[in-house]
Amino acid sequence: MNEKVVAITGASNGMGLEAAKLFANKGWKVFAGARRVEKIPRDADRIVALHLDVTNTDSNHAFVTHILKEAGHIDVLINNAGYGEYGPAEEISMTKIRNQFETNFFGAVELTQLVLPTMRAQNYGRIVNISSIGGDVYMPLGAYYHATKAALQQWSDVLDLEVAQFGIRSVCVQPGGTQSSWGTIALKNSHSNMRENSAYQPLVDTVSAGLDRFMQRSVKASDLAEVFYKAATELKPSLRYLHAFGDKFMVNVARRHPKIFRKAIIIAMRYFEKQNTSK
Ligand SMILES: NC(=O)c1ccc[n+]([C@@H]2O[C@H](COP(=O)([O-])OP(=O)(O)OC[C@H]3O[C@@H](n4cnc5c(N)ncnc54)[C@H](OP(=O)(O)O)[C@@H]3O)[C@@H](O)[C@H]2O)c1
């Protein structure tokens, strides 16, 4: 039980990939999962790359079974796999909405259920759920993304109350804009999820401009990997981990002053709309 073991989902890119490298450098045994397993760095001693599709029950079972067979225990599960199924709430297909929840929420739920019996037997474990500032703040076109992250946070808090008695803690990291594929995927989805002759075209153009600008101020994925590490290892963990001052500020306003936050979003949208029309 000496070697510390972490399982990280969505480790083929962005924050998950940086976290896998960071934990490995710090001497942990890392079980790193993603669909594009070939993108996960191979390191015979420290990183085990495993194929994982968190929307698939068999794949989740195979992932956890492999870890427990090879390592015999698991200290930390980082539920990081996720993406933004952006687009008008009215027009995104139910199939895509369900897939958004399967990936960002139910995948995390299933993997957590699979590791908890082992963590209880060990009397130790940490579940680190990668939410988003978007678990509290919101913007147009992100309805289902924000809903998955808000769900993840509520679920994590309930779980934490239930499992703390076994020495297990469940916590959330809430990244803000971070360099990765996330922004490109969300922007692409905003457009492809629109129906033909959509009444939402002007809104999609405006929000795309805003999202693009927001993502330009992104921090490095490796900075967030450090936050993941803190959330995984701090002796007395917080329930929420936020990185940049601006992220903490926005989340605070959204939580404490919902009407002011809504007004701020409307003002920001007007600003991007004006910028778009003056181009
Ligand atoms: N970047 C941001 O600005 C930002 C801000 C707040 C929160 N977040 C959250 O942070 C987490 C990491 O995102 P990122 O920014 O690092 O984005 P990214 O570069 O797009 O990485 C996402 C990772 O999730 C994996 N993934 C997606 N669907 C999966 C599935 N069905 N099964 C297994 N893995 C899957 C991808 O791997 P494969 O495609 O190879 O499977 C990839 O490794 C996400 O939960 C995201 O919502 C991101």
Side-chain angles (χ1 to χ4, degrees):
M1 290 274 247
N2 282 343
E3 192 175 44
K4 289 276 186 193
V5 172
V6 60
I8 305 176
T9 71
S12 63
N13 204 65
M15 293 181 248
L17 173 60
E18 291 304 324
K21 291 193 279 190
L22 179 70
F23 277 80
N25 284 339
K26 290 189 182 276
W28 288 57
K29 182 90 175 180
V30 180
F31 290 89
R35 292 166 303 182
R36 293 167 297 165
V37 66
E38 70 286 354
K39 285 194 71 195
I40 300 173
R42 269 148 216 280
D43 170 338
D45 286 338
R46 297 262 147 254
I47 303 179
V48 180
L50 297 172
H51 181 270
L52 172 68
D53 180 348
V54 299
T55 68
N56 181 299
T57 288
D58 290 344
S59 182
N60 288 335
H61 278 261
F63 183 63
V64 173
T65 302
H66 185 118
I67 296 167
L68 296 180
K69 211 168 169 191
E70 187 172 331
H73 71 287
I74 177 165
D75 297 282
V76 176
L77 167 65
I78 303 186
N79 287 314
N80 166 72
Y83 72 100
E85 191 64 82
Y86 271 56
E90 181 186 335
E91 298 188 346
I92 304 179
S93 72
M94 284 311 298
T95 305
K96 287 189 174 176
I97 294 166
R98 290 199 173 97
N99 194 56
Q100 175 77 119
F101 273 86
E102 289 293 345
T103 308
N104 292 10
F105 182 64
F106 292 120
V109 169
E110 184 161 52
L111 286 164
T112 302
Q113 286 194 340
L114 290 170
V115 300
L116 279 177
T118 303
M119 288 184 171
R120 270 194 298 104
Q122 294 165 181
N123 249 309
Y124 177 76
R126 182 80 48 97
I127 310 294
V128 179
N129 299 299
I130 309 309
S131 176
S132 164
I133 55 168
D136 289 284
V137 307
Y138 58 88
M139 64 191 287
L141 309 187
Y144 304 109
Y145 179 72
H146 295 307
T148 61
K149 296 301 189 183
L152 195 62
Q153 291 180 189
Q154 288 289 84
W155 168 81
S156 176
D157 289 344
V158 174
L159 181 70
D160 186 57
L161 280 177
E162 292 179 4
V163 299
Q165 60 177 318
F166 306 116
I168 303 164
R169 298 299 307 271
S170 177
V171 303
C172 291
V173 176
Q174 293 186 266
T178 307
Q179 288 160 23
S180 73
S181 305
W182 187 92
T184 316
I185 293 170
L187 274 173
K188 193 174 134 261
N189 289 340
S190 306
H191 291 275
S192 63
N193 278 320
M194 258 187 306
R195 293 198 191 126
E196 220 172 299
N197 302 319
S198 173
Y200 295 97
Q201 179 75 60
L203 180 69
V204 169
D205 292 342
T206 299
V207 175
S208 298
L211 196 59
D212 201 30
R213 179 77 72 83
F214 177 74
M215 293 310 290
Q216 279 168 23
R217 286 203 299 268
S218 295
V219 301
K220 289 194 295 227
S222 54
D223 293 344
L224 264 297
E226 298 280 354
V227 182
F228 288 18
Y229 191 79
K230 191 174 174 197
T233 56
E234 220 167 36
L235 276 181
K236 289 188 176 168
S238 304
L239 290 176
R240 300 283 183 274
Y241 288 85
L242 288 115
H243 176 55
F245 171 78
D247 299 342
K248 292 176 193 166
F249 178 75
M250 278 195 284
V251 164
N252 239 319
V253 175
R255 277 189 203 148
R256 288 168 196 238
H257 308 287
K259 279 188 179 167
I260 294 178
F261 180 78
R262 186 176 188 277
K263 259 201 182 125
I265 289 288
I266 291 170
I267 291 167
M269 287 303 125
R270 282 205 195 114
Y271 170 77
F272 289 117
E273 197 181 341
K274 253 193 202 154
Q275 287 224 320
N276 257 0
T277 45
S278 65
K279 263 185 199 167

